[in-house]
Amino acid sequence: MLRKRVREEDNAVLIDMASLEPGNGSSYGSTAHAAEAGKQQVAPSRVGSPANPPIDFVLVWEEDLRNQESPSQDKTDTHEIWRETFLENLRLAGLNVDQHDVQDKVTTVHYVLLSAPWAVLCYYAEDLRLKLPLQEFPNQASNWSAMLLEWLGIPNILLEHVPDTPPEYYSCQFKASKLRWFLGSGNQDTFFTSTKRHQILFEILAKTQYGHEKKCFFGIDQLLAEGAFNAAFPLHDGRISAVPENSQVLGLTQRQVLLQYWARWSKWCKYQPLDHVRRYFGEKVALYFAWLGFYTGWLLPAAVVGTVVFLVGCFLVFSDVPTQELCHGSDGFDMCPLCPDCSFWLLSSACALAQAGRLFDHGGTVFFSLFMALWAVLFLEYWKRKNATLAYRWDCSDYEDIEERPRPQFAARAPTTALNPITGEDEPYFPEKRRVHRMLAGSVVLLMMVAVVIMCLVSIILYRAIMAVIVSKSENAFLSAWAPRIASLTGSVVNLVFIVILSKVYVVLAQVLTRWEMHRTQTAFEDAFTLKVFIFQFVNFYASPVYIAFFKGRFVGYPGNYHTLFGVRNEECAAGGCLIELAQELLVIMVGKQVINNVQEVLVPKLRGCWQQWYSRRRKAGTGAHPAPWEADYQLLPCEGLFHEYLEMVLQFGFVTIFVAACPLAPLFALLNNWVEIRLDARKFVCEYRRPVAERAQDIGIWFHILAGLTHLAVISNAFLLAFSSDFLPRAYYRWTRAPDLRGFLNFTLARAPSAFAAAHNRTCRYRAFRDDEGHYSQTYWTLLAIRLAFVIVFEHVVFSIGRLLDLLVPDIPESVEIKVKREYYLAKQALAENEALLGASGVKDDRLPSSESGPPSLGS
């Protein structure tokens, strides 16, 4: 049942502390008027609370003392009003607000230090359905490779003991009325971990108003976007002072443990301490590094097999009969001109290109394509098992269905409320029909951006064709012979520049569209945003390789009847074939993008960090004082989330799988990059980024479904690559029908120019095609076409069938995890039955069980 929501006035406060008393109902995001709150004691009860609660969050804004009379003074005054209103509402919400100012000659930096009293923490822990520990048991982390090496009796160089291993807990949703049943409830200083406190503070900051809610004047995110605040972040756990390799582990903070055992380059060959990462950064960050490490480990066998296939190609170059005929044969094939003003050329001049093509185009490529298709299927199946194990151990298996709350931005803008069918609570609601209409409108924008990408691709095609003509006319023999390759290489670089520019533009546009679509939870919001950006980035990154793989050289025509695009003759594949051009394109885009990203991730944070540290030292010149913790953290870079990290790796996964038939070395380059990427990202999070708010998650989100889609697409792509872009099937057909040793195969693949063209130029020539002397497709062409189509059908059916069989044979959830889940369910039912029997015998109501009828608990107990 839907109910129209009543908007609050501007003076609404976040929490009426009187609502914390027994008997008062509590609704979603409970608010009350400040006038009513003023009649109560504003500060909540702090019975037993520590005298100096830890700093949970820091807000920062800078004031430029030189612009007191500037034209932007009105905006500055508006920001000042917003800040004052926002901070006052935080005080009314029960938070402790302290301010520290650092001033120099031109700038004053204001630091607002926020901490939450015990009562507020308890209230929001229950409101947010946070899970807290009931009972501790030993850490049960395991690794299949460690167990395998132990079973084989082989020393495991990857294993390293990391101190202060977090224990595992049986946990449940927090209830203030059942406080005494939770582990460590006697110590208010440590009962709520730092990550839990940060989550609670961020929830309050995200909901607190600084103006009229209907005008979206609420939340710290909006204030940051408007420039009223410069930063908002939780504090790191101590300074990141360097820890020597042989230092004692006693007295290390959680952050220093991560630096010592995770974020060092020397730890590239060690297992990641995922439980420590989860304790400090939350489940979402830990799941990303778990997936990245798992993916990198699975790249190792793919890289080994791909390297072996490439080395086999290196040996075949010098023993391949058609290649030897091209390079050293007595028949000097005169080839038709590559452009209207170009001259005839000898096929033997393309010897180097033909040899390079054989490195990637041989029989081993078929085996490797089949191997990689099955590798991708098994990788996803075993990641599902790994994810299920981590979600169970980290107690987030049902997070999205039960625990996750609506986004504050959604809650403020939703026009109605409705009962949640799972929790039975009244929650903000946005009609699904309206959301679908908005998503369709966003899809139109996406199609327009895809059209822009296609226009850029057409321009690159024209550039390559024109550049090939210009370079081929050069008087330099080397440039003239390598004209197609030079045009292709420079076109790849131009394409990479287009890719980077368009990517930046569309990410900003996708954020606006996704906010407009009104998704209920943060998970749904991120999934929708991710899908939009990935579809665009997929077209952006893969348009050029798809063109080279499946379209280039297909619509050339024949001498005397060449096809054109905007008056420019269509491109044709060079002597080495289009597969070598595709390999070149992949290496330029994939390796080039990885190099650019790594340089950005190394240099940009260093330069920005150096600038902020220099600026801070200049401000403190002469004081000789060390910066306070909040000042030191403000000098760090803001954490930009995991989206770009996932996007980089998933695009890499696409290059590794979709076009692997053209470049067997792709897994090797990906493996080398990821070994650097893991420690680079770890160091960024520990040393260079401000601490992010810990977020919960039960999986990697929609990225898994994108990976599954890429896996299916890779099977089809590689089938068509082998069938239509490779010489594998023509060679096999020639072996079966003509010569098993492939002698004469080169002549078999070359057609003669039509007589009209030869008469016009008073010279005959050859070109690559299966056509007769009049330019029509020959019977061999149609026979090969049937063989190619049959190969595609057989290849994809075999791979999909084996993949489906593997899917059935490998359970999504390990048997050990299923047994533990069933065991917990059994114990819970048994405990409930025993409790009900005990209550029936005594006739006394048990206060250990939460009652859905009662209101919010008393927090003063």
Side-chain angles (χ1 to χ4, degrees), residues 42-204:
V42 173
S45 173
R46 295 181 58 186
V47 177
S49 62
N52 295 308
I55 298 171
D56 298 312
F57 231 89
V58 179
L59 307 181
V60 185
W61 81 91
E62 296 187 7
E63 181 181 1
D64 192 345
L65 303 178
R66 297 170 298 180
N67 296 332
Q68 299 295 331
E69 303 298 332
S70 65
S72 61
Q73 186 62 35
D74 291 342
K75 184 177 181 180
T76 304
D77 293 341
T78 301
H79 288 175
E80 181 66 25
I81 295 173
W82 286 352
R83 283 193 295 266
E84 291 178 357
T85 305
F86 186 74
L87 295 178
E88 180 61 26
N89 284 338
L90 290 179
R91 295 186 182 94
L92 293 174
L95 298 186
N96 298 324
V97 180
D98 190 16
Q99 184 169 328
H100 290 258
D101 299 335
V102 178
Q103 184 174 346
D104 61 9
K105 296 181 180 179
V106 296
T107 307
T108 300
V109 182
H110 305 273
Y111 297 93
V112 178
L113 312 181
L114 304 177
S115 60
W118 173 253
V120 174
L121 292 173
C122 291
Y123 175 83
Y124 264 93
E126 184 169 351
D127 185 60
L128 296 176
R129 309 186 189 116
L130 295 184
K131 283 190 173 182
L132 295 176
L134 291 171
Q135 181 181 351
E136 178 182 330
F137 61 92
N139 191 291
Q140 299 178 354
S142 62
N143 190 295
W144 69 268
S145 60
M147 293 187 292
L148 176 62
L149 292 174
E150 183 180 2
W151 181 74
L152 294 174
I154 301 175
N156 188 358
I157 63 172
L158 304 178
L159 189 62
E160 181 182 34
H161 172 69
V162 181
D164 192 25
T165 301
E168 295 187 19
Y169 301 99
Y170 290 115
S171 61
C172 72
Q173 290 184 12
F174 177 75
K175 288 287 183 180
S177 59
K178 319 301 172 189
L179 178 63
R180 64 181 179 275
W181 293 102
F182 289 92
L183 192 65
S185 57
N187 189 339
Q188 295 183 9
D189 292 335
T190 60
F191 178 67
F192 291 102
T193 63
S194 60
T195 54
K196 300 295 184 186
R197 299 174 71 97
H198 298 163
Q199 290 172 356
I200 292 172
L201 264 291
F202 185 74
E203 180 73 12
I204 297 174

Side-chain angles (χ1 to χ4, degrees), residues 125 130 141 193 291 356 399 417 462 466 472 546 634 642 709 729 733 737 740:
L130 295 184
T193 63
W291 175 82
Y399 170 71
T417 61
L462 295 175
I466 296 172
S472 64
V546 166
Y634 181 55
L642 296 169
L729 290 180
Y733 173 76
T737 60

Side-chain angles (χ1 to χ4, degrees), residues 238-475:
R239 298 183 183 276
I240 194 59
S241 54
V243 182
E245 288 280 359
N246 56 353
S247 65
Q248 298 293 324
V249 299
L250 297 178
L252 295 184
T253 64
Q254 294 180 20
R255 189 184 184 194
Q256 288 175 332
V257 169
L258 289 175
L259 173 63
Q260 172 79 351
Y261 294 93
W262 181 49
R264 288 184 182 271
W265 295 107
S266 59
K267 303 299 180 181
W268 67 271
C269 60
K270 303 296 181 182
Y271 293 131
Q272 298 184 86
L274 295 176
D275 288 319
H276 295 73
V277 177
R278 177 242 181 176
R279 177 178 63 182
Y280 193 74
F281 290 111
E283 287 82 4
K284 180 174 286 190
V285 173
L287 278 172
Y288 163 72
F289 282 102
W291 175 82
L292 180 56
F294 190 82
Y295 169 50
T296 303
W298 272 72
L299 278 174
L300 184 58
V304 170
V305 176
T307 304
V308 170
V309 170
F310 176 75
L311 293 177
V312 169
C314 293
F315 287 110
L316 290 178
V317 166
F318 303 102
S319 61
D320 183 62
V321 174
T323 304
Q324 297 304 316
E325 289 181 348
L326 186 150
C327 295
H328 309 294
S330 57
D331 295 330
F333 295 104
D334 284 335
M335 304 300 293
C336 297
L338 297 175
C339 64
D341 299 328
C342 297
S343 60
F344 294 84
W345 58 285
L346 290 176
L347 183 59
S348 58
S349 64
C351 174
L353 292 178
Q355 290 176 333
R358 292 305 296 158
L359 294 175
F360 303 100
D361 189 3
H362 54 86
T365 306
V366 180
F367 161 76
F368 190 55
S369 299
L370 179 63
F371 171 84
M372 287 301 297
L374 300 180
W375 172 89
V377 172
L378 282 175
F379 164 70
L380 293 180
E381 288 302 315
Y382 277 94
W383 167 248
K384 283 193 288 188
R385 292 167 59 86
K386 178 72 172 179
N387 192 109
T389 302
L390 292 176
Y392 171 77
R393 289 186 50 241
W394 294 344
D395 201 15
C396 53
S397 299
D398 54 359
Y399 170 71
E400 293 180 11
D401 295 330
I402 298 177
E403 299 178 45
E404 191 169 19
R405 300 276 286 174
R407 299 169 58 240
Q409 296 85 349
F410 173 84
R413 300 177 183 179
T416 59
T417 61
L419 288 178
N420 186 316
I422 297 177
T423 63
E425 296 183 5
D426 199 31
E427 292 186 353
Y429 177 78
F430 189 79
E432 192 65 28
K433 187 176 181 180
R434 291 178 59 186
R435 180 181 293 114
V436 171
H437 289 166
R438 294 187 177 190
M439 293 174 69
L440 291 176
S443 301
V444 174
V445 178
L446 174 60
L447 291 176
M448 293 175 59
M449 291 300 297
V450 169
V452 172
V453 174
I454 295 175
M455 291 171 59
C456 292
L457 175 62
V458 172
S459 66
I460 293 172
I461 293 172
L462 295 175
Y463 164 83
R464 279 200 290 246
I466 296 172
M467 181 60 66
V469 173
I470 295 175
V471 177
S472 64
K473 295 180 180 180
S474 172
E475 296 180 357

Side-chain angles (χ1 to χ4, degrees), residues 668-729:
L668 176 63
F669 288 116
L671 176 65
L672 297 176
N673 174 81
N674 289 7
W675 270 335
V676 175
E677 186 74 23
I678 291 177
R679 305 304 160 178
L680 185 61
D681 287 348
R683 194 163 188 85
K684 284 193 306 184
F685 273 89
V686 174
C687 303
E688 297 170 359
Y689 281 170
R690 297 168 191 157
R691 188 175 183 177
V693 178
E695 296 182 67
R696 286 176 62 77
Q698 70 182 53
D699 50 38
I700 61 173
I702 201 172
W703 292 112
F704 179 83
H705 302 288
I706 292 174
L707 291 170
L710 290 177
T711 300
H712 287 81
L713 183 61
V715 176
I716 300 172
S717 172
N718 284 295
F720 276 94
L721 270 177
L722 294 172
F724 290 93
S725 299
S726 169
D727 279 343
F728 169 72
L729 290 180

